[in-house]
Amino acid sequence: MDSSSPKSPRSESKAEPDYKDRISCLPEQVIDRILSLLTSREAQATCVLSRRWRHLYNSLLTDLDFDWLDLLEKLRDDPEQAEKERARYVEWVDNVVHHQSGKEHSLRRFVLRFDLNNSYKSHIDHWIRFALAKQVKVLDLHFMPVCYDDFKPDCDPSHLPYVLEREILMDADVGCSRRASGLGNFGLSPSISWHVGCRNLEQLSLFRVNVEGELIEQLLAACPVLEKLVLEYARGLRWLRVSGESQKLKYLCIRVCKDLQLIEIYDTTNLVSFTYRGWSFTYRGFEEQIIWYLDNVPRLSEVSIEGFSARQVDLIMSGLSRYSSLQIMKLYFTMPFPERVRLHRRQLPKFTSVKQLELRFEGYGDSSLLPLTPLIEAFPCLRSFVVELMYPKDMLCSPRELKRVVGPPHQFLKVVEFNNYYGRPCDLELVNYFIDNAIALEKLVVNPCEEEYITDGVKKVKEPRERALQQLMGKLPSRIELVIN
């Protein structure tokens, strides 16, 4: 096979036989199969083993995963070295794209994961157009910065996020003519302007990419088989509208888009999963920050709401209560669930279709978890329940009298899982609640806390596991299997 590398290899007719290069003797179909199981980075690291391997790697891989995120931690305190690594990364991607250009095979995945910003826009634009020309199915742009300060709006101007513009996703001829004429993004019919590669896109993930809501809305209309859309730390995204019964979109994930003010999701008959994470949460105009609107999503079966105050539980529950298709609910609070937040059983709607509930909140002190029970009882048909203490800090385990709550029986709940169990009195109180009220409970899984947050970082802890063994081992009804990991 001819090499697409700028440097021509030595003629094989003149070269001495290399009996150590056994890989080159394998059938091409076998090498293709091996390469298909490797990531781009793994294939690059092993291409020195064989001349044929190197040339096939450069030209035939269908999954191009340029993932260097594991290097970021080592570069946090060395900006000079970080800049050198960016140059190496760009050279690596450019080299592979150069050798793959002109080949007839299509791409399944194209993944860019490293600290790249708008200073590298020309390279990133070229790579995206290359991937679309290859009829890529999964496009993942993940530009995590080395320095956390680059997340701030007032960061160094040279470190601003990459800007995804509509011209990059256009048909080449249309994009060139528009750039030459100086026209903007207005008045162009999506049916004739979008790059033909958009028709094959099934998954799109954007992390720290500057993108506007109008572009996302038009892109959804131009990608007839797009099933998954993920937007994280998207700058410039002030509103997002997802609508249209013809769309194939099944999974929508929006996380920490600080400029976002409005989310509208309606008439999307194929949507099955919606995830939102933000700093505050509002439904249909309550409070004045994020406003979201859900209507006519008949197949919605999984909802995950992250990053909201416990005081907004009533609001969120009322907003989702109309969807009888819900099977899985995940609620992640931004702070410990305060005892003073009182949820009233009669005020909360019932979610009889939900079979799996997950609650996550920060662990702190020994604040009672029993105020959660009215929320749990709003899901009377649960099969499994998961509770997790996030970022445990200043935990208190002083002995005190335990409280018990007798509530409506959970007739269908079979499995309860407690993650980051610390062994505080409030932890044991919640476990006792399920022992007393989950009459069908078959299994209790306890994953003891192994790390606790302190002023200087994180420390390893062994006591939570010892307390779990002491508090629970041999003390559960015989019908309940106890698993302490």
Side-chain angles (χ1 to χ4, degrees), residues 316-371:
I316 294 170
M317 299 278 283
S318 63
L320 296 172
S321 61
R322 297 184 295 116
Y323 299 100
S324 60
S325 57
L326 284 178
Q327 299 281 321
I328 301 172
M329 181 88 78
K330 301 177 182 180
L331 302 175
Y332 304 162
F333 309 123
T334 56
M335 60 187 69
F337 201 94
E339 290 187 77
R340 62 180 177 274
V341 176
R342 298 298 177 182
L343 300 175
H344 301 286
R345 291 179 176 85
R346 294 181 180 178
Q347 294 179 355
L348 292 176
K350 299 297 182 183
F351 290 79
T352 56
S353 64
V354 174
K355 305 299 188 295
Q356 179 180 330
L357 175 64
E358 296 185 15
L359 300 180
R360 295 184 183 181
F361 44 86
E362 294 182 16
Y364 179 83
D366 182 30
S367 180
S368 176
L369 303 180
L370 294 179

Side-chain angles (χ1 to χ4, degrees), residues 173-197:
D173 294 335
V174 175
C176 289
S177 63
R178 290 177 66 79
R179 284 192 294 270
S181 63
L183 294 176
N185 293 333
F186 307 104
L188 190 62
S189 171
S191 63
I192 62 172
S193 64
W194 292 94
H195 194 294
V196 66

Side-chain angles (χ1 to χ4, degrees), residues 11 110 223:
S11 172
F110 188 80
C223 300

Side-chain angles (χ1 to χ4, degrees), residues 383-386 413-417 441-445:
R383 266 59 170 180
S384 68
F385 173 78
V386 178
L413 185 58
K414 297 181 180 298
V415 179
V416 171
E417 182 174 347
L441 189 62
E442 298 176 354
K443 189 175 185 179
L444 173 62
V445 179

